[in-house]
Amino acid sequence: MTAGTGLRSALGPVRAHAKSIAHWALVLAALGWLAWQAPDLLRSADEAGTALADLSWTWTGICALLALVALATYGELHRRLLVVAGAPIGIGTMQAITFAENAISNTVPVVGGAGSMAYSITRLRRRGVDATLASWSVVLPGALSTIVLIGLAMVVAGAAGWLPVWLAVVLGLVVAGGSALLWVVVTRPVVLRRALTGLLHVGRRLPWLCHHCRGAWALDPGAVADRITARIGILRPTPLQWVVLIGLATLSWGLDYLALTAAAMAVGVPVAWSGLALGFLAVQASIALQILPGGAGLAEAGLLGTLLAAGVGAGPAAATVLVYRLITWLGLSVVGWVVYAVQIHAGPPHRHRHTAELAPHPA
């Protein structure tokens, strides 16, 4: 046996478990980052003073339950989109993917957003969903939720008097109409085909992608773009299905806001709904900026500043921030990483399926 053969034999077990090792390294790194960030959040307990001494554990439990249901509702939104496309996924499977995706997005620095999407696509492909539908269905829930949140912000701004009612209505209609128009344009076969053809020309030059698939893309990118366009065309909700999807997105945000309200109730903070709504929007904006995973630092500062501006004392305001963020950020992230760790060795193995080019796909 040659030295090269012996080395390959020695490295065989390592290669076989390389993905598991990488996954576990990611879990440990993320949990370590959470442990590093936790003291900054827990320091607010000193500012909370006696506010935490009278903490209502009943309201704290309600806050935790609402946060869990809010994230689960988002997972159901994702699952319903797959059902529309004719790719049903079990409720338990979709919830596991959602909780793990949330943990990755909220705790992995720099690439958390992209990494969470890649994770979801990979898990869906393991469950038999083709790459095109998996990718499209991962993008749409986030986009729809963001649009719904912007629309809700317009409603809240008008109701709270931050904007004239007529202006809030106009802005809300602009958001709704612009989103509908964008959907019509983006899902037009001609537009999709042109965009996909350009992406395929780029993709076939990326050396780390499958050699066979890149060769097929180079052979006839037009046929490939037509096939992918046909697959995306399947994901077209009916008006009733749109109502359900928008309702789920609205419910998810509403439950999350109620979790913040429950955190304030747990501390005994008497603050108007409009003040809490502004603080909630500040938290969501901080998370969306992705400067740090989960809006760490910015979210706490934004919520604390909003509560202080609403007339809440420093101690109760800090306690409210502590309870809410410990549950909705740290707590849900830890749950998600536990799910991720369980899924490392669970589910069917992923087997790459070569691009079925030039094979006609039924519309």
Side-chain angles (χ1 to χ4, degrees), residues 5-319:
T5 304
L7 179 60
R8 284 194 296 271
S9 299
L11 293 177
V14 175
R15 290 176 178 174
H17 299 288
K19 287 187 177 181
S20 295
I21 294 171
H23 284 308
W24 277 109
L26 182 61
V27 172
L28 294 175
L31 292 178
W33 190 86
L34 283 175
W36 179 61
Q37 288 290 323
D40 291 336
L41 187 59
L42 292 174
R43 285 192 193 100
S44 61
D46 294 335
E47 301 175 5
T50 58
L52 288 176
D54 299 325
L55 183 69
S56 169
W57 290 105
T58 300
W59 280 109
T60 302
I62 292 174
C63 176
L65 179 61
L66 288 168
L68 286 169
V69 177
L71 184 55
T73 302
Y74 178 81
E76 180 62 13
L77 167 63
H78 191 174
R79 192 185 74 84
R80 290 295 182 98
L81 276 167
L82 287 167
V83 170
V84 170
I89 295 292
I91 294 176
T93 298
M94 195 68 253
Q95 292 301 327
I97 292 174
T98 300
F99 274 78
E101 177 187 9
N102 178 71
I104 296 171
S105 178
N106 281 340
T107 58
V108 177
V110 184
V111 295
S116 63
M117 293 176 65
Y119 169 82
S120 295
I121 292 170
T122 300
R123 297 306 301 186
L124 289 173
R125 293 196 70 188
R126 289 190 177 206
R127 297 294 175 176
V129 181
D130 66 79
T132 302
L133 285 182
S135 303
W136 195 237
S137 72
V138 167
V139 171
L140 281 182
L144 180 60
S145 281
T146 300
I147 293 168
V148 168
L149 180 61
I150 294 173
L152 290 174
M154 296 301 101
V155 173
V156 171
W162 305 335
L163 290 176
V165 174
W166 67 268
L167 181 57
V169 171
V170 170
L171 291 176
L173 291 175
V174 168
V175 170
S179 301
L181 179 61
L182 181 62
W183 171 258
V184 171
V185 171
V186 168
T187 56
R188 286 188 63 190
V190 175
V191 176
L192 272 176
R193 189 180 188 280
R194 289 179 179 176
L196 289 169
T197 301
L199 289 174
L200 289 170
H201 280 301
V202 175
R204 67 188 178 89
R205 291 177 171 82
L206 300 178
W208 57 83
L209 297 180
C210 171
H211 175 73
H212 174 90
C213 294
R214 288 190 290 119
W217 296 344
L219 180 64
D220 193 346
V224 180
D226 286 338
R227 185 181 63 82
I228 297 176
T229 298
R231 294 298 293 154
I232 292 176
I234 296 175
L235 192 49
R236 291 182 180 273
T238 64
L240 179 59
Q241 289 171 331
W242 273 121
V243 170
V244 173
L245 294 173
I246 293 172
L248 286 171
T250 304
L251 179 61
S252 179
W253 289 121
L255 291 170
D256 202 347
Y257 167 75
L258 290 176
L260 175 57
T261 304
M265 295 293 291
V267 180
V269 171
V271 59
W273 70 269
S274 57
L276 284 177
L278 182 59
F280 176 77
L281 293 174
V283 170
Q284 300 310 321
S286 301
I287 294 173
L289 288 174
Q290 285 288 318
I291 295 176
L292 286 174
L298 288 178
E300 291 80 42
L303 180 55
L304 181 62
T306 302
L307 293 176
L308 292 175
V312 180

Side-chain angles (χ1 to χ4, degrees), residues 340-361:
Y340 181 96
V342 171
Q343 285 194 325
I344 290 175
H345 305 290
H350 171 62
R351 294 183 176 88
H352 174 68
R353 290 176 290 179
H354 294 308
T355 307
E357 298 329 335
L358 311 181
H361 185 278

